[in-house]
Amino acid sequence: MPLKAFRGPKAWLWRWRRNPLKRRADVVEAWVVLGACLLTVLAGVLAGLAAAGSVERGLARERAERRPAVARIVALVPGSSPAQNSHASAGERIWTKVRWTAADGSAHTGQVRVEPGSRAGTPVTVWTDPGGRLLSRPTSASEGAFRATLIGLLVGVSAAAVPFVGGLAVRGRLERRRMDAWDTEWSRLGPQWGRMV
């Protein structure tokens, strides 16, 4: 039992052990595999962290720049009133024109989605930039963290795939060269082996 416990690491590190049968190609392959593994981990982690940080900073800047403003619906919105339409889902909202005043006092109009049947003058919260232009609602801090994490993971996996696939390609090429060398040796020594028998 103790021998089996020590067998795993030796088998795993066989490429670095001294062995008279070890060829130069085996050493090169060992370093290629080690380098590809290290680059895969480093590229994945660094690219993922950089992407997540960039997304998080961008969303935080978006939250800081966008300001809520109270807009008023300009005209009656077609459809049943919100009280009668309480069972309606948020997907059934209707585009309508609204008017709001920016922080600098200038009047603006734009299109937003509201409940069907909303009356003219009903207040609606809209999000604007410092110039008063209409924008979409910024993501919350928790939504931003989730989005940054997800994008960081996707970018990290994509970046890690490059050295991983490159390492597999180099290893496959080394394997083909090794097999070709074996074929050459066998074609030279095979006939002699048959004569000895």
Side-chain angles (χ1 to χ4, degrees):
M1 188 71 175
L3 288 175
K4 285 185 179 179
F6 290 107
R7 213 171 187 187
K10 281 188 174 182
W12 191 76
L13 297 173
W14 69 270
R15 296 175 193 276
W16 283 277
R17 289 186 307 184
R18 292 178 186 248
N19 185 339
L21 299 176
K22 184 167 57 173
R23 295 158 300 187
R24 184 172 167 262
D26 295 329
V27 174
V28 170
E29 184 178 355
W31 286 107
V32 165
V33 169
L34 179 65
C37 288
L38 290 175
L39 282 175
T40 297
V41 171
L42 282 174
V45 169
L46 293 177
L49 288 174
S54 175
V55 169
E56 186 66 43
R57 284 188 301 277
L59 293 175
R61 187 173 51 249
E62 179 183 284
R63 280 191 298 275
E65 290 173 354
R66 296 186 182 190
R67 299 183 175 115
V70 176
R72 302 273 177 192
I73 296 175
V74 174
L76 176 67
V77 179
S80 58
S81 69
Q84 295 170 344
N85 207 16
S86 59
H87 65 282
S89 66
E92 296 178 21
R93 296 167 70 97
I94 298 174
W95 286 100
T96 191
K97 187 176 182 180
V98 294
R99 181 175 288 126
W100 69 94
T101 304
D104 63 1
S106 60
H108 295 272
T109 59
Q111 296 278 329
V112 296
R113 294 184 81 123
V114 297
E115 293 287 334
S118 297
R119 298 184 187 280
T122 303
V124 179
T125 301
V126 295
W127 292 88
T128 63
D129 65 3
R133 288 184 297 275
L134 191 62
L135 300 170
S136 60
R137 180 185 67 85
T139 58
S140 67
S142 59
E143 290 170 342
F146 176 74
R147 188 181 296 179
T149 302
L150 186 63
I151 291 173
L153 284 172
L154 291 173
V155 169
V157 168
S158 300
V162 173
F164 180 75
V165 171
L168 286 178
V170 171
R171 188 169 182 228
R173 185 176 170 97
L174 289 171
E175 182 70 26
R176 281 192 302 278
R177 288 180 69 187
R178 183 170 43 241
M179 296 308 283
D180 290 344
W182 281 358
D183 285 344
T184 303
E185 286 293 314
W186 182 250
S187 66
R188 190 172 57 93
L189 296 174
Q192 294 174 8
W193 184 279
R195 273 187 249 141
M196 294 173 126
V197 174

